[in-house]
Amino acid sequence: MGHRIVHGGAEMRDHTLLDDDVRVRLDRVADLAPLHVPQALTVLDAARELLPDVPHVVCFDTVFHARPGSCRTGVRRTCRLA
């Protein structure tokens, strides 16, 4: 399942398979987009709880804007790794 996140901060510059470590890192960068990221994380947490056996991938707007076209290929590549 893909989750759109506005900003991943300086640490997360690629679409990323979500695990507990990535989730903690997302909390640390939530203040970069306070009107968007906290709400997105609430939805992300609910989805992880409802679908624990489904791989979850975070896709950042900042990656899309830095490298147009990367969302399509990045998500496929990340999902294959899951």
Side-chain angles (χ1 to χ4, degrees):
M1 170 173 277
H3 301 275
R4 178 180 168 225
I5 305 291
V6 171
H7 206 305
E11 294 180 26
M12 292 178 278
R13 295 178 176 227
D14 287 306
H15 309 303
T16 305
L17 187 63
L18 184 64
D19 60 18
D20 292 336
D21 177 60
V22 170
R23 179 60 185 84
V24 168
R25 291 163 59 195
L26 288 170
D27 273 333
R28 289 196 303 248
V29 299
D31 62 335
L32 295 174
L35 298 178
H36 301 279
V37 175
Q39 293 83 344
L41 295 180
T42 298
V43 172
L44 181 149
D45 291 339
R48 286 181 79 193
E49 187 173 316
L50 290 170
L51 303 167
D53 298 324
V54 172
H56 294 262
V57 178
V58 289
C59 300
F60 302 104
D61 285 6
T62 47
V63 174
F64 172 79
H65 293 293
R67 295 187 315 259
S70 64
C71 289
R72 185 174 50 244
T73 58
V75 170
R76 280 194 213 134
R77 182 174 36 255
T78 302
C79 288
R80 281 196 302 263
L81 297 174

